[in-house]
Amino acid sequence: MREGSRTAPNRPVSAICQRTPQAVSAVAAVPGTVVGMTRIDNYSPSGRPVAVSVRGLVKHFGRTRALDGVDLDVHEGTVLGVLGPNGAGKTTLVRCLSTLITPDAGKAVVAGYDVVQQPRQLRRVIGLTGQYASVDEKLSGRENLYLIGRLLDLSGKEARSRADALLERFSLTDAATRPARTYSGGMRRRLDLAASMIGRPHVLYLDEPTTGLDPRTRNEVWAEVKAMVRDGVTVLLTTQYMEEAEQLAGELTVIDRGKVIANGGTDELKAKVGGRTLRIRPADPLELRPLAEALDRLRLAGSATTVDAESGEVLVPIVSDEQLTGVVGAVTARGLTIGSITTELPSLDEVFLSLTGQKTSAPQDLRPELEEVAV
């Protein structure tokens, strides 16, 4: 359901939906009516089926090149996290892949359909949850879902059944008859997710879906996304929350200034950035500071060591295997009893900062009407 759509005042939704099939038939593709427009099956070099394949995608807004030759793949039944600072092109990418805007160059195939050549067929197998809830606030939760079901050509009985099932799944049954304007922010977001699932999409786009939500509601949304993926849905997720990316995404793509600058799994991206931290915990807490001072004097660390008094550890920056060997040797030479010694890769926040030069943050007050140009 698109933001800004409204029903006529004082008219029951059932009356509106009685005329829906005729209206929808004008824009909905009837299976088999488009000659020469067959599904395109894609597979990655590993042989895994690909639900979303993007090659060389370009989009301009005036002189601004919002997308500058984007390439990416999303394997079926997985979550791809698309990271990037404000203005990177994340929302523009989602709008292109959901047929809301047309790319200027390149090729994108989603769920077997070409985004430019087969938009009507594609719309039947995708769902979209944007940065802002797009439900009709005058309608109840059940009426919102029922109306969308009818717009997707479901029968009245099937639309009601599907709406009730999703209300239960998203813990909205008790509020089903209340107008959406009375819902909390978290409830509206769950209703928005339910709306995107009415048509049982093969591919779901989540464009910063937890922006502005409190931690509890965010966790609820994450749980629902994980359940969708278990059911076989493929998800393309844009986010600036690194915790969200680590929770949900199996693969990550980092976009900056319209270009893909890195991709891979979380650990793979961390390894690409380089740098590790050696955490040494002496058995005797009194050895913490003397150990740190001794390592600083030997100048074995990449930079100054730090003491984490809370965890009882000395943190040593490591930039090479030779340096790691030297530090471990120095610790051993002191004859200390070590409680534990571990290495850790940089955090995803540190990876993001290294790749883009910007800190991660949740976008604030981005007006929907400016999204197309701003992103």
Side-chain angles (χ1 to χ4, degrees):
M1 195 168 189
R2 298 287 176 259
E3 187 166 342
S5 63
R6 293 290 184 268
T7 55
N10 303 319
R11 293 177 60 190
V13 67
S14 58
I16 299 171
C17 289
Q18 287 175 358
R19 300 195 306 166
T20 297
Q22 181 178 0
V24 171
S25 64
V27 296
V30 179
T33 59
V34 182
V35 178
M37 294 291 186
T38 58
R39 276 178 50 92
I40 304 167
D41 293 322
N42 286 307
Y43 293 87
S44 66
S46 64
R48 298 168 61 193
V50 174
V52 180
S53 176
V54 178
R55 294 292 179 271
L57 211 63
V58 174
K59 181 63 183 178
H60 295 90
F61 295 113
R63 295 182 179 180
T64 301
R65 199 174 178 94
L67 296 178
D68 191 6
V70 170
D71 295 339
L72 61 81
D73 289 322
V74 189
H75 293 98
E76 287 187 6
T78 67
V79 180
L80 175 71
V82 178
L83 311 178
N86 283 335
K90 303 184 302 296
T91 297
T92 298
L93 174 65
V94 169
R95 289 167 68 83
C96 285
L97 296 181
S98 56
T99 75
L100 295 177
I101 57 177
T102 303
D104 297 320
K107 185 178 181 65
V109 176
V110 178
Y113 297 109
D114 187 286
V115 168
V116 175
Q117 300 297 324
Q118 300 167 284
R120 292 190 295 177
Q121 296 95 318
L122 176 57
R123 290 173 195 142
R124 290 179 172 272
V125 295
I126 60 175
L128 168 63
T129 295
Q131 296 177 17
Y132 303 89
S134 57
V135 296
D136 192 317
E137 295 187 348
K138 295 181 180 180
L139 301 181
S140 70
R142 178 175 285 117
E143 289 170 339
N144 265 287
L145 299 184
Y146 175 77
L147 178 58
I148 294 172
R150 295 292 281 132
L151 289 170
L152 291 173
D153 281 347
L154 300 184
S155 67
K157 180 179 180 180
E158 187 178 3
R160 281 189 291 272
S161 174
R162 184 68 175 150
D164 287 342
L166 287 169
L167 287 168
E168 181 177 359
R169 174 173 178 173
F170 286 86
S171 303
L172 292 170
T173 301
D174 291 343
T177 59
R178 285 167 40 194
R181 66 173 176 269
T182 67
Y183 285 15
S184 67
M187 293 170 68
R188 291 189 192 190
R189 177 54 71 191
R190 295 204 302 275
L191 181 61
D192 210 32
L193 280 170
S196 68
M197 294 298 292
I198 279 283
R200 294 184 174 86
H202 297 174
V203 175
L204 179 62
Y205 304 118
L206 300 179
D207 189 16
E208 300 190 10
T210 60
T211 295
L213 298 185
D214 60 82
R216 178 181 176 180
T217 305
R218 189 176 302 150
N219 287 333
E220 292 174 353
V221 172
W222 290 350
E224 289 301 335
V225 173
K226 291 175 182 177
M228 293 175 189
V229 176
R230 286 195 298 270
D231 290 342
V233 177
T234 301
V235 176
L236 188 148
L237 165 77
T238 74
T239 184
Q240 291 192 58
Y241 292 121
M242 297 301 103
E243 183 184 3
E244 183 165 77
E246 292 196 274
Q247 282 279 336
L248 300 177
E251 296 284 328
L252 301 172
T253 292
V254 183
I255 295 180
D256 193 20
R257 296 180 179 86
K259 295 183 178 181
V260 173
I261 59 174
N263 53 49
T266 301
D267 289 343
E268 186 179 351
L269 287 182
K270 291 178 179 179
K272 285 180 179 178
V273 170
R276 291 168 288 175
T277 300
L278 183 67
R279 305 181 72 98
I280 307 169
R281 182 171 61 82
D284 183 357
L286 295 178
E287 288 287 349
L288 268 176
R289 294 195 181 281
L291 175 60
E293 292 169 0
L295 291 174
D296 280 339
R297 284 195 299 270
L298 293 172
R299 297 183 179 179
L300 292 172
S303 57
T305 60
T306 56
V307 174
D308 186 342
E310 185 175 347
S311 66
E313 296 174 320
V314 175
L315 277 57
V316 186
I318 299 295
V319 296
S320 69
D321 291 340
E322 293 76 13
Q323 183 188 359
L324 175 61
T325 302
V327 171
V328 173
V331 172
T332 304
R334 285 182 62 88
L336 295 179
T337 301
I338 301 300
S340 67
I341 182 166
T342 60
T343 60
E344 65 178 21
L345 291 168
S347 69
L348 201 53
D349 280 293
E350 292 169 329
V351 171
F352 187 90
L353 179 60
S354 175
L355 291 172
T356 68
Q358 300 188 42
K359 294 183 179 179
T360 59
S361 62
Q364 300 292 328
D365 301 325
L366 180 63
R367 289 180 293 169
E369 64 269 26
L370 297 181
E371 285 181 2
E372 185 169 303
V373 174
V375 299

